[in-house]
Amino acid sequence: QLQLQESGPRLVKSSETLSLTCNVSGGSISSSYYWGWIRQPPGKGLEWIGSIYFGGSTDYSSSLKSRISIFLDTSKNQFSLKLRSVTAADTAVYYCASISGTYAIGPWGQGALVTVSS
Amino acid sequence: SDELTQPPSVSVSPGQTARITCSGEALTNQYSYWYQQKPGQAPVMIIFEDTERPSGIPGRFSGSSSGTTVTLTISGVQAEDEADYYCQSADTTGFYVVFGGGTQLTVL
């Protein structure tokens, strides 16, 4: 059964880079269509950040496109997110997830609360 | 517009039927999905491809689609169904994931 787990610093200083990694177990990262990141600010709704195709191509949210990078590490069966120049507005629970070819999302990781401090 | 619009809140008494709508132009040519999220937990898919229910999801959850609107119906609502519900689809180009703003279901 596919399982995903986010890891990375939970506290990031304003203007620095948020870095998260999603470790995938129970299946190969090369065998699914897409891998994605979704975030949820405290008390707010879900926001799609971006996705990476198992072949390496990416799609990013237009509102975050200038600041994000998503990449695969097939040797470690994981994928990662980098969000540059963070502000307090980037404080959120960040989820990694598997995304099907028809954009069904799941399973999800348990989520990682990342706080941006000044 | 590729936005998905949901009512912020729906309230229903136990045993009654709850209906949560989601509207958006992209729904005419993209599948819709519904997720249930309880406090402190990751979302869980409860409906996929407009009307299909994943294994393990109770039969009281159902989905329907008509034009630019999809509807999640919960028949015989139970107290445990109190949660936030999100619809999701892809944009009209098929490249981007789009979420509705979420609906908080309150069981009175």
Side-chain angles (χ1 to χ4, degrees):
Chain A
Q1 184 177 358
L2 197 63
Q3 292 185 314
L4 293 84
Q5 176 72 56
E6 303 87 353
S7 64
R10 297 301 199 259
L11 187 63
V12 181
K13 291 184 178 179
S14 183
S15 79
E16 296 189 346
T17 297
L18 180 158
S19 296
L20 290 172
T21 295
C22 183
N23 186 67
V24 179
S25 59
S28 170
I29 199 169
S30 300
S31 65
S32 183
Y33 274 93
Y34 299 98
W35 304 95
W37 291 95
I38 299 107
R39 71 180 182 179
Q40 185 172 36
K44 296 188 178 181
L46 301 169
E47 178 186 15
W48 175 69
I49 297 171
S51 307
I52 186 164
Y53 185 59
F54 76 88
S57 63
T58 54
D59 292 311
Y60 297 147
S61 165
S62 56
S63 64
L64 297 170
K65 189 174 185 177
S66 63
R67 297 195 290 133
I68 61 174
S69 299
I70 298 175
F71 48 95
L72 293 173
D73 187 337
T74 55
S75 66
K76 296 182 179 178
N77 215 41
Q78 58 188 207
F79 61 103
S80 299
L81 167 71
K82 288 192 182 295
L83 177 63
R84 297 176 289 276
S85 303
V86 296
T87 68
D90 295 310
T91 293
V93 175
Y94 286 77
Y95 295 99
C96 63
S98 173
I99 303 176
S100 77
T102 57
Y103 296 98
I105 303 176
W108 300 58
Q110 65 183 29
L113 174 61
V114 179
T115 301
V116 177
S117 68
S118 55
Chain B
S1 171
D2 290 323
E3 295 179 348
L4 298 178
T5 302
Q6 299 180 233
S9 62
V10 169
S11 298
V12 64
S13 299
Q16 298 300 305
T17 296
R19 293 181 178 84
I20 300 173
T21 58
C22 173
S23 299
E25 292 183 13
L27 297 173
T28 57
N29 66 344
Q30 299 290 345
Y31 281 128
S32 65
Y33 304 87
W34 288 95
Y35 302 87
Q36 178 192 68
Q37 185 181 35
K38 295 184 177 180
Q41 298 181 18
V44 174
M45 186 186 300
I46 55 174
I47 296 291
F48 68 98
E49 294 180 3
D50 296 338
T51 60
E52 303 300 311
R53 195 171 53 247
S55 60
I57 300 302
R60 63 181 181 274
F61 291 93
S62 64
S64 62
S65 175
S66 179
T68 59
T69 299
V70 295
T71 303
L72 171 69
T73 300
I74 311 172
S75 303
V77 168
Q78 300 183 5
E80 67 195 49
D81 299 331
E82 188 162 280
D84 293 328
Y85 292 84
Y86 293 90
C87 63
Q88 175 252 313
S89 186
D91 73 326
T92 51
T93 69
F95 287 116
Y96 306 114
V97 171
V98 181
F99 286 101
T103 298
Q104 183 177 52
L105 175 68
T106 300
V107 181
L108 300 171

